[in-house]
Amino acid sequence: LHGVRRWLLGETMPGPRKLTTLAQWLRVPLEDFVDAGEGAALRATGEPLHKWHAGLGYDDRELFDIYLKLPVPQRRLAREVILAIARAHEAGEAQRKDRDG
């Protein structure tokens, strides 16, 4: 956990073996962890700003601000970790529904 925290904060980057393991675990190409180059443009979502901030508390807004300050490789890593957690949560919820209902 401490190592992952340092990756997410941009203090360190995982080594090649760990990146390979993460890519396999998250089922994403290893290349997705490699920076597309300094100054790579971010795509706009096209969503109005008010949609982003609707229902967000201070902690969530602060987290998004921190996320947006991260270099692109760390943002990609954070995104993939969050998506993996969400997929695991959805799978657990589906199993609970099957078991209970």
Side-chain angles (χ1 to χ4, degrees), residues 2-101:
H2 181 68
V4 172
R5 179 183 174 277
R6 293 183 68 203
W7 301 341
L8 296 175
L9 291 174
E11 294 173 0
T12 62
M13 280 294 293
R17 285 182 54 199
K18 289 196 180 182
L19 281 176
T20 301
T21 301
L22 279 170
Q24 291 169 348
W25 181 64
L26 297 170
R27 297 183 194 141
V28 297
L30 181 60
E31 296 80 30
D32 285 355
F33 289 112
V34 180
D35 190 1
E38 209 169 300
L42 295 175
R43 291 184 301 219
T45 63
E47 294 180 20
L49 185 60
H50 68 274
K51 274 190 167 182
W52 257 112
H53 292 280
L56 295 179
Y58 174 78
D59 290 340
D60 293 325
R61 289 181 190 188
E62 181 181 33
L63 182 62
F64 282 121
D65 289 341
I66 292 168
Y67 171 81
L68 292 172
K69 290 177 186 175
L70 291 173
V72 172
Q74 284 84 6
R75 276 188 280 178
R76 287 182 183 150
L77 179 61
R79 181 179 183 277
E80 292 304 324
V81 169
I82 291 167
L83 289 172
I85 292 168
R87 284 190 294 268
H89 175 72
E90 287 174 9
E93 289 295 312
Q95 286 177 350
R96 250 181 252 119
K97 285 181 183 178
D98 288 345
R99 185 183 64 229
D100 296 341

